[in-house]
Amino acid sequence: MSEKTIIVIGSGTAALACASSFPPSYQVTVITKRNVTNSNSHYAQGGIAVSYAKDDSIESHVNDTLYAGCGHNDVTAVRHLLKSGQSMINRLIEGHFPFDTKSDGTFCLGREGAHSKRRILHAGGDATGRMLVEFLVQQLRDGIRIIEHETVVDLLIEHGRCAGVAVKDASGAVSYRRADCVVLASGGCGSLYQYHTNDSAITGDGIALAFRAGAEITDMEFTQFHPTLLVKNGTVYGLISEAVRGEGGYLADRFGRRIMAGRHALEDLAPRDVVSRAIYEEMMKENPVFINCSRIADFKKRFPTITGICQTAGVDLESGIPVAPGMHFLMGGVKADTWGKTSVPDLYAIGETACTGLHGANRLASNSLLEALASGKRCAEHITQTPLNGRYKKTPKKSDVILQVPDTTLHVLQAKMTTGAGIVREKENMQALASWLNNVSVRHINVKEITIEQAELSCLWKTAQLVVTSALIREESRGAHFRADFPGTEKEWHGKQIIHSTSGTAIRKNERIGELWTFCS
Ligand code: SIN
């Protein structure tokens, strides 16, 4: 093979930014389970956070990221990724990506939770993610191959390095694709919970694949619940962006009482975990919560996607949008540096699949598309600059991959995760959940016989075990991880990460975490 062969798994912003950043001499293949548009990026309504305004700075954006992340961020990673993200935004602007502008031609800058400035660039009102994915697909150079409807069921490890993937196509046939490097960009694990904002194709695949391949997985207890999903009669219709509250929308119960008043200084724009718990508490009292949008001028123009979601749900904007929190984003994932390098040579992880320390214990709104752009580009740069480590002449034959599939359904798993390891957690419920996860009977199914649904359930089950084990071990509350039995943030947990690998689970102090953060108990 005369040139490097790269496989990118996933087709969201991180995957596309990565694929498009290799020079033409690279053979790049993007493999995605469904259509190229099936990704979480596609649904991103908020936008991309970037310090663009004159009165803003990277330092201010860094500080807001650390504040939201509750001191669990790797400050160096935050700086690197926010800075690289800024240069990717400049590249988008130069490439005429249609960010929304005001009548004077300057960019509209939105505001979202825990941002001290207006710094969210958006496109198509609330259609930023969809427009970005379409733009990035169009920008892919000739020669980049996109394979749709192919599921990666295993990573091929040879001599300790990642050498390719085993895939299953829509007809059920299994084949093997070799590569010099494999990049995991398959999102997080939103489907673990009953209410979530993720594409249904996002089933923890990258995390489960990396774990099986021997990579380190970290920070799995930090699962971000978005406060406001439109939920009516138990059905999730879609996300109601935080930007709605940024533009003056507010949370109120059916009597008009503002539920965030007195709960946090930032009220409706408090960090997501605070708002999610407030809504959850009201729901537990059977007091439904709505977003009042009456103060927002031109709602339909500014939020066309959300207007459509409300219409589909039969919700009249005048009477308020009924909302409930749901799983949105995984801060944890495959442990990676800011180049996407994991603990397995030639295996990279970027975007939501990775945990670089950028988000800490709670992601700042609209930092994820920025991270996806930055981490995709940095990963491609790193691979391009790294000499080949090894060449594998033959396609590895590995026809005997056996996956463990729990004898349960997705619906049951989601229900158990929602009650056992959801917005508010405590030991007894989590122990019961862990015991169920560890003792559920398991079928061993060869990849040749396995269905895609079974393969996905297998990944979700493994991911659930990692989330619950971590959430049980971390006996404190920090960011998105809230323990009713340990409601305080504890000094002794500061800077510590819970790391899983096939050799076991360890608690490790990370000296790069928490620098600059003033501890407040
Ligand atoms: C939102 O629009 O509220 C979601 C944006 C994000 O999660 O970054």
Side-chain angles (χ1 to χ4, degrees):
M1 195 165 52
S2 58
E3 54 201 358
K4 273 192 191 174
T5 299
I6 312 297
I7 288 177
V8 181
I9 305 173
S11 59
T13 301
L16 297 170
C18 181
S20 62
S21 300
F22 285 101
S25 60
Y26 281 65
Q27 272 187 31
V28 182
T29 303
V30 174
I31 300 177
T32 188
K33 284 201 299 189
R34 301 201 185 146
N35 297 315
V36 72
T37 50
N38 283 111
S39 67
N40 286 345
S41 297
H42 190 82
Y43 293 103
Q45 293 175 357
I48 313 179
V50 64
S51 49
Y52 194 81
K54 281 207 182 71
D55 66 340
D56 201 357
S57 64
I58 290 231
E59 229 19 59
S60 164
H61 191 175
V62 167
N63 286 337
D64 290 350
T65 302
L66 300 182
Y67 172 69
C70 294
H72 193 67
N73 315 65
D74 175 330
V75 183
T76 313
V78 175
R79 289 226 167 80
H80 281 316
L81 286 160
L82 294 189
K83 227 169 157 188
S84 300
Q86 192 129 19
S87 74
M88 286 299 277
I89 297 298
N90 291 336
R91 206 199 266 187
L92 284 176
I93 293 170
E94 282 157 23
H96 305 291
F97 178 71
F99 284 120
D100 293 337
T101 51
K102 296 192 269 199
S103 52
D104 62 3
T106 58
F107 291 120
C108 301
L109 290 170
R111 176 128 193 244
E112 288 181 9
H115 282 277
S116 58
K117 305 273 180 205
R118 285 193 160 262
R119 62 163 77 94
I120 320 296
L121 287 169
H122 46 87
D126 54 8
T128 315
R130 176 174 60 74
M131 292 183 69
L132 184 60
V133 169
E134 284 167 5
F135 184 84
L136 292 172
V137 169
Q138 268 167 19
Q139 301 259 309
L140 288 178
R141 66 171 162 79
D142 288 348
I144 294 179
R145 207 169 151 212
I146 297 193
I147 303 178
E148 296 179 305
H149 304 287
E150 199 168 92
T151 302
V152 175
V153 286
D154 205 17
L155 297 173
L156 307 176
I157 304 297
E158 280 184 1
H159 312 292
R161 322 189 80 87
C162 187
V165 296
V167 293
K168 197 167 176 88
D169 69 17
S171 75
V174 173
S175 55
Y176 301 90
R177 296 186 184 280
R178 52 148 310 180
D180 291 292
C181 299
V182 173
V183 182
L184 299 167
S186 52
C189 57
S191 303
L192 267 186
Y193 291 86
Q194 264 170 337
Y195 293 170
H196 66 83
T197 61
N198 287 198
D199 190 285
S200 61
I202 306 301
T203 51
D205 305 10
I207 292 152
L209 288 167
F211 179 82
R212 282 210 312 270
E216 289 187 339
I217 314 290
T218 192
D219 286 14
M220 293 297 286
E221 64 276 35
F222 298 115
T223 49
Q224 182 177 80
F225 294 87
H226 193 289
T228 55
L229 277 56
L230 194 168
V231 179
K232 197 176 148 191
N233 301 329
T235 300
V236 178
Y237 286 87
L239 177 72
I240 306 299
S241 174
E242 213 157 66
V244 170
R245 282 172 281 132
E247 297 300 329
Y250 60 88
L251 295 162
D253 64 12
R254 61 191 185 284
F255 308 109
R257 182 181 64 93
R258 291 188 65 160
I259 69 149
M260 290 311 296
R263 269 184 159 127
H264 192 279
L266 291 171
E267 298 202 339
D268 291 275
L269 289 179
R272 285 183 181 173
D273 60 303
V274 177
V275 184
S276 288
R277 278 198 303 280
I279 299 177
Y280 176 81
E281 276 169 27
E282 296 300 327
M283 285 168 61
M284 292 296 104
K285 291 188 267 179
E286 304 206 346
N287 190 28
V289 175
F290 301 82
I291 304 184
N292 182 314
C293 307
S294 57
R295 300 193 307 198
I296 307 176
D298 287 336
F299 186 95
K300 291 183 180 160
K301 186 159 169 249
R302 170 66 180 88
F303 299 110
T305 308
I306 294 172
T307 304
I309 292 171
C310 290
Q311 275 162 0
T312 307
V315 164
D316 171 18
L317 282 170
E318 319 270 290
S319 8
I321 307 173
V323 288
M327 169 61 175
H328 185 52
F329 189 89
L330 176 68
M331 274 69 70
V334 184
K335 194 165 171 39
D337 66 12
T338 60
W339 304 106
K341 267 171 67 184
T342 72
S343 54
V344 173
D346 296 335
L347 178 65
Y348 291 77
I350 55 175
E352 190 177 346
T353 312
C355 177
T356 60
L358 166 63
H359 305 301
N362 207 6
R363 179 179 60 94
L364 182 66
S366 286
N367 264 358
S368 47
L369 287 181
L370 192 75
E371 174 194 34
L373 289 164
S375 64
K377 174 173 168 276
R378 287 173 70 86
C379 179
E381 274 172 11
H382 179 83
I383 294 174
T384 311
Q385 286 158 18
T386 307
L388 278 178
N389 287 310
R391 294 249 169 89
Y392 310 101
K393 293 199 177 68
K394 268 179 62 189
T395 300
K397 286 274 171 276
K398 202 178 175 204
S399 53
D400 57 347
V401 184
I402 306 283
L403 297 185
Q404 291 189 316
V405 184
D407 209 355
T408 188
T409 62
L410 174 62
H411 184 73
V412 169
L413 179 63
Q414 288 174 327
K416 286 192 179 284
M417 284 298 288
T418 302
T419 48
I423 294 168
V424 175
R425 301 166 170 176
E426 55 87 25
K427 188 172 184 170
E428 219 170 282
N429 285 346
M430 282 195 290
Q431 273 177 337
L433 175 57
S435 158
W436 178 76
L437 286 166
N438 297 337
N439 295 309
V440 65
S441 64
V442 164
R443 292 163 67 196
H444 294 83
I445 309 180
N446 188 297
V447 282
K448 285 185 178 153
E449 275 89 51
I450 206 164
T451 64
I452 300 302
E453 290 71 26
Q454 287 170 329
E456 289 183 339
L457 191 58
S458 170
C459 291
L460 281 170
W461 170 66
K462 176 38 74 188
T463 312
Q465 285 180 317
L466 300 176
V467 170
V468 177
T469 308
S470 305
L472 256 171
I473 293 175
R474 187 174 281 275
E475 293 190 331
E476 66 153 357
S477 294
R478 189 180 291 265
H481 169 66
F482 184 80
R483 293 273 309 243
D485 45 356
F486 295 96
T489 302
E490 303 298 337
K491 266 194 180 116
E492 58 267 32
W493 270 104
H494 193 53
K496 288 190 181 153
Q497 291 189 291
I498 300 164
I499 299 174
H500 306 274
S501 72
T502 40
S503 33
T505 297
I507 301 172
R508 219 182 282 159
K509 176 98 179 140
N510 182 342
E511 298 302 335
R512 288 155 61 105
I513 286 183
E515 206 195 318
L516 290 188
W517 194 67
T518 316
F519 188 88
C520 43
S521 54

